[in-house]
Amino acid sequence: MREALEVNVEWSQLERDFYLSFYAWCVERAAAVNMPVGFSMQMPLRVASTCIPVARQMVLGWQAPIVLADPDDPDGEGFKPPSESALIPPSAELTRLAKALDDCDTKYDEFVPVIRDLLQQGRQALIFTFSLPTIDYLQRRLSKEFRVAVLNGRIAPAQRHRIIADFRRGDYDLVIANRVASEGLDFEFCSAVVNYDLPWNPMEVEQRIGRIDRIGQREEKIYVVNFHTPGTIESDILERVMARIGVFEHSIGELEPIISSRLRELREIVYDFDLSDAERERRTAEIMTAIEERALTRSEVENAAPSLLSSDGAEIEGLEAALVRQGRYVGQDELALLVEDWAHVSGGRTRREQSDSMLVLTGNAELATQVRALSEARQRSTREVQELVSMLMNETDIGLSLNQERSRQEMTQLLTANHPLVRAALDVHSHRQSRFAQIALASATANVAPGQYLVLLAVADWRGLRPSREIWSSVRYLRDGASGPELLGDAVLAGLASASLQDSAVALDGDVLNATRVAKRDLTERWQQDEIVRRSENEALIETRRLSMESVHQRLRSQIEERIMTLRRDNRSEQVQRLFEGQLRREGERYSAELMQVQDAQNECGMTLEWLAVCVVDVV
């Protein structure tokens, strides 16, 4: 169960006066660049409504930009002067109020007792804010009383995992984070999420709560604590909208597409400071009504689904087994075999631990060079590979988990297809990976009759609107080159995937070159026929895509034009009208870009065939 706790923060008169004066400064700066205040000053205003001390420091720390003349450019060509808004200093009154505030922070004074109470209940809490300066401010003050760590974009990914592992062990009372921690990280050992401020996107709130509301959570009830400052637009609008959606009490995953479709309008309401309170109230109610109506329609459709749809789940249930059997599935074991093979050919060492659920790699300078090459080829950033390169160079053991759940619990690296070590292993020169010119397979395993066969494998690469990359096989009897059972190609791939292939030393009973020539002819003919069919399908897909794009473009264009007409009828400011005119222009540019992509897909479509491997298979 989720329990939402709202903490109302009543600013002192001095804080409220400062906020209003800060807002007036933002309005003045926006006017200097002829832009709506909600567009150009969105971030300073959000910071001011979230953390008065940070906004205070922005005022007291303001300095006019220093403009330096370039002696080598007397005409000033190429010189970009500072923005007009950056040249406007805070008013004398705003500076006076900032100095008078001193250490006054009513929100923090309300915040600390809530944190103490959560910790006294034995709960670990995850604190979210969108602002890096606010994270720094909270860390500085909270560290005097609590054990605190932070997670943000300035923390390296490897360090983030160490912080989470330490937090899981109880080394910290609190972790303060921004959106870096709201996606993809597990904190099921925490039982409280504290929103020091709210993002404007309800789905990001859902992501924050989802870090602790997940499998492994042991508490029957988790707390979602929200700090509300009446009089700030983000609190008055956003929190009311999110409460009505129900994001604080239950998951809104099914509503995500519905909410996402209205987010732009919601953001316009929040940051359109030309709206009166009554207009803002009316438009917010309209959006909420639209969301609820669409949610009701969706529910009705889902309830009717059983009578509209029927399906046979037998194929789906057997899909995974079929993929493994046909050698089309890449799992942790296969990735481990790939890394082991890579280490072997490059002089490294590997071993399995914890009942084969952990692969330990000990590297060397050659392996380190191959991983560093990922950065040089821009396949991975330097930051992603630098720690691995150092460990490989120093021959330090690198533990790679082959079990997802254990990886999550122990905060160890999970070996995935995108792991830098896997990407480096894939770049090893093919001549160093070649083996199994002649292999043996059991008749029962291959599901074909005993005999000696030749198997040719090739990669068919189709470039079109829906690109694909497949492994094709051609099987021939070695004795006379006649067509053999295609199932044998799948069996060879499955044996390769499971590392169960065995060398064979049976004498060859036929002409390898002749069987290979016939197999190549077979796949070449298949390639030519398949390309004709796919070109025809591609043309039909492109025409369907064009019609769909045209329909979407016309609908979006009509919506924006209708909005512009409404703004003109209501005599709204030209600045706001220009924003929507810009939307109309960008929609035309987007549509043109999509048309160009479709045209490229038509012009560049085609299929290539790359010979991959050939081997003799003794089925015994």
Side-chain angles (χ1 to χ4, degrees), residues 319-329 490 493-494 497:
L319 179 61
E320 184 176 356
L323 288 172
V324 175
R325 184 171 64 252
Q326 295 171 10
R328 303 290 195 261
Y329 176 77
D490 290 340
L493 288 172

Side-chain angles (χ1 to χ4, degrees), residues 57-74:
Q57 190 56 45
M58 291 171 64
V59 173
L60 297 179
W62 183 89
Q63 290 182 341
I66 300 174
V67 180
L68 300 176
D70 186 349
D72 298 325
D73 186 14

Side-chain angles (χ1 to χ4, degrees), residues 22 25 29 43-44 47-48 53-62 90:
F22 188 92
W25 181 38
R29 295 173 67 188
M43 192 56 66
V47 169
V54 172
R56 172 179 182 266
Q57 190 56 45
M58 291 171 64
V59 173
L60 297 179
W62 183 89

Side-chain angles (χ1 to χ4, degrees), residues 62-123:
W62 183 89
Q63 290 182 341
I66 300 174
V67 180
L68 300 176
D70 186 349
D72 298 325
D73 186 14
D75 296 327
E77 296 180 1
F79 173 71
K80 184 178 181 181
S83 166
E84 290 293 330
S85 66
L87 296 173
I88 297 178
S91 67
E93 175 64 8
L94 178 56
T95 303
R96 183 191 69 77
L97 290 169
K99 292 178 179 177
L101 277 171
D102 196 22
D103 292 332
C104 177
D105 187 359
T106 304
K107 185 174 184 178
Y108 184 83
D109 294 340
E110 296 280 354
F111 172 69
V112 171
V114 172
I115 296 301
R116 289 196 190 109
D117 183 56
L118 291 172
L119 296 179
Q120 287 171 2
Q121 295 179 40
R123 296 176 180 269

Side-chain angles (χ1 to χ4, degrees), residues 458-461 468-472 526 530 534:
V459 177
D461 199 345
S468 67
R469 188 173 175 85
E470 304 171 356
I471 296 180
W472 289 356
R526 177 182 172 184
D530 200 87
R534 292 193 186 221

Side-chain angles (χ1 to χ4, degrees), residues 233 239 297 305 334 373 431 443 472 498 509 511:
I233 291 176
E239 187 163 6
T297 302
E334 185 174 2
H431 71 273
S443 177
W472 289 356
S498 60
D509 183 21
D511 187 343

Side-chain angles (χ1 to χ4, degrees), residues 327-341:
R328 303 290 195 261
Y329 176 77
V330 179
Q332 250 79 41
D333 286 337
E334 185 174 2
L335 294 176
L337 292 167
L338 174 67
V339 172
E340 287 176 326
D341 192 55

Side-chain angles (χ1 to χ4, degrees), residues 100-148:
L101 277 171
D102 196 22
D103 292 332
C104 177
D105 187 359
T106 304
K107 185 174 184 178
Y108 184 83
D109 294 340
E110 296 280 354
F111 172 69
V112 171
V114 172
I115 296 301
R116 289 196 190 109
D117 183 56
L118 291 172
L119 296 179
Q120 287 171 2
Q121 295 179 40
R123 296 176 180 269
Q124 290 177 282
L126 191 58
I127 302 168
F128 280 105
T129 177
F130 75 92
S131 162
L132 284 174
T134 303
I135 289 179
D136 295 338
Y137 169 75
L138 292 176
Q139 182 188 24
R140 184 174 65 255
R141 294 202 63 179
L142 290 171
S143 295
K144 298 175 182 178
E145 182 176 350
F146 308 103
R147 299 172 301 164
V148 180

